[in-house]
Amino acid sequence: MCRRLEDAIPGTRAVWTSDEGKFKQLFVSYGCSIAGFKYCRPVLKLDACFLTGYYRGHCLSASAHDADDGLYPLAYAIVSSENDDDWLWFLQNLKEVIGERRVVLVTDRNTSLLNGIIKVFGGDCNAWCLRHLKENFSRFASSKGFKNERRKAALKIVDQIAYARTENIFNFHMGRLRGMDPDLAKWVEDNNPNHWSNAYFPYKRWDKMYTNLAECYNNWILPLRDLDIMQFMTGHVTKLTDMLVRKRAASCSWKLPVGPQIEKEIKEHQLVARKYMHRPTSPTEFTVLNTHQKQFAVKFDQRTCSCLAWQMSGVPCAHACRAIQNSGFSIYDMVDPMMCKSTQILIYENSMSPVPLHDMPPLSSFDPSNLSSYITDEGMTCTDPVINPPSTKRGSGRPKKRRIESQTQERDTVNCSRCREPGHNRSTCKAPIPG
């Protein structure tokens, strides 16, 4: 199957390993995905999800954002578990696919993954997912007696620390957190802000603070996770082919120079900008006052704002939106080219070539006792070596089908139908019966 992919789709990397005749690892990155990634922003979300088929295992993945912040799968691997060897092998193959291009890798701080990134890419390009960091912070805050609203207030400050774009703003919010509890501030300092705060991260992160895109990929392959490896590979080709065709057609039909998601972000910034005041200092430079009478400098020719949000995200910030209004410039010309329609078309320009599988022998025809050759339905002979399934041990209990919810995930509030108060239901209501 790997050879079929490499022959049918130019530039594809599909490799596998075995151990004593048993399957061990598989890595696949299609040539069309590799070609399209050259036009994507250099940010990759790395994650793993468990497989629910008979032989279990894990699926490791690397996903990028397209020009409209949509999912763009780059590579995946089927391995036994999230251990040091499997993550290192995946990252080494990923490095072969990416080449010398510098990328930011957003991860959930898995220990094996972090060790592999340091060995293959270096540790400075590793950006930590803010959601996973906040979960750990939330547990620490709870151990210090912070509950309910106090804990939510502390988590909000951690958000502001992560999105702080300058060292001064970082120190300001750290002071607020230190005022709540010095131990909370020390926890933040001890957890390497240079990997998750914009103020200290050395590379442009494009404001991608979470691994949500990787979770989207895990959900995207959900129908395939019950299948055996051959069905997984063929199903993955089909799903990605459909995605490429659909998104290529959709991007050609965009009526604006940017996609719907980027347009939505621009509208949100323009709505905030209505409250600001601006004054031109030259045809391409402006000063903008926000609602707190703080002054910001906006420069069109450099596409910069002194708040740094425009430079870090690629989309004009609210200050820039206010300056652009009535200036004679189009706001779409101020969006980073990597987030425009022309780039989206280039990303999806390479289509998935059809993979011929009609002459491959069915799985039921393989007999481990006779590995010399197999005759297919088309009369062709296949002499490829047969790999036995991996040795697995099923865990105790019923296999889990649903993902574990995040600790910081917002849940719907339960309201009692008897007393109308939140926090409990009718069966546990202890309020007195109204007279």
Side-chain angles (χ1 to χ4, degrees), residues 16 31 51 80 101 114 116 138 156 190 229 257 274 282 384 428:
W16 54 269
L51 301 177
S80 59
R101 186 183 186 190
L114 295 183
S138 179
K156 186 176 181 180
D190 292 342
I229 190 166
R274 293 179 181 179
S282 78
D384 291 338
T428 58

Side-chain angles (χ1 to χ4, degrees), residues 257 266 270 278 280-286 298-303 310 316 320-335:
I266 291 174
Q270 289 177 327
H278 74 291
T281 58
S282 78
T284 60
E285 298 181 351
F286 297 79
V298 177
K299 299 180 180 180
F300 290 168
D301 53 349
Q302 301 176 13
R303 292 183 180 177
W310 190 359
C321 289
R322 186 67 187 94
I324 292 171
Q325 293 176 1
N326 302 323
S327 66
F329 290 89
S330 170
I331 193 168
Y332 302 114
D333 293 336
M334 301 299 171
V335 177

Side-chain angles (χ1 to χ4, degrees), residues 332-352:
Y332 302 114
D333 293 336
M334 301 299 171
V335 177
D336 192 282
M338 300 191 79
M339 307 169 75
C340 294
K341 176 180 178 179
S342 57
T343 302
Q344 184 81 341
I345 293 175
L346 290 174
I347 290 173
Y348 293 103
E349 183 180 29
N350 297 277
S351 58
M352 177 84 76

Side-chain angles (χ1 to χ4, degrees), residues 164-183:
R165 305 187 188 279
T166 64
E167 187 175 344
N168 289 336
I169 298 176
F170 177 92
N171 292 333
F172 171 75
H173 292 301
M174 281 293 294
R176 293 175 57 206
L177 190 63
R178 193 172 289 109
M180 295 185 69
D181 191 318
D183 289 338

Side-chain angles (χ1 to χ4, degrees), residues 106-127:
V106 185
T107 69
D108 60 359
R109 293 205 300 173
N110 177 277
T111 304
S112 297
L113 175 54
L114 295 183
N115 292 336
I117 289 176
I118 293 173
K119 293 178 181 178
V120 179
F121 292 92
D124 57 345
C125 67
N126 179 214

Side-chain angles (χ1 to χ4, degrees), residues 114-154:
L114 295 183
N115 292 336
I117 289 176
I118 293 173
K119 293 178 181 178
V120 179
F121 292 92
D124 57 345
C125 67
N126 179 214
W128 294 351
C129 173
L130 181 57
R131 179 175 67 85
H132 292 86
L133 181 117
K134 286 169 61 178
E135 288 180 354
N136 294 336
F137 177 84
S138 179
R139 284 191 287 269
F140 178 78
S142 297
S143 69
K144 292 294 180 179
F146 283 75
K147 306 293 183 182
N148 302 327
E149 296 303 322
R150 291 185 68 210
R151 184 177 62 183
K152 289 182 179 180

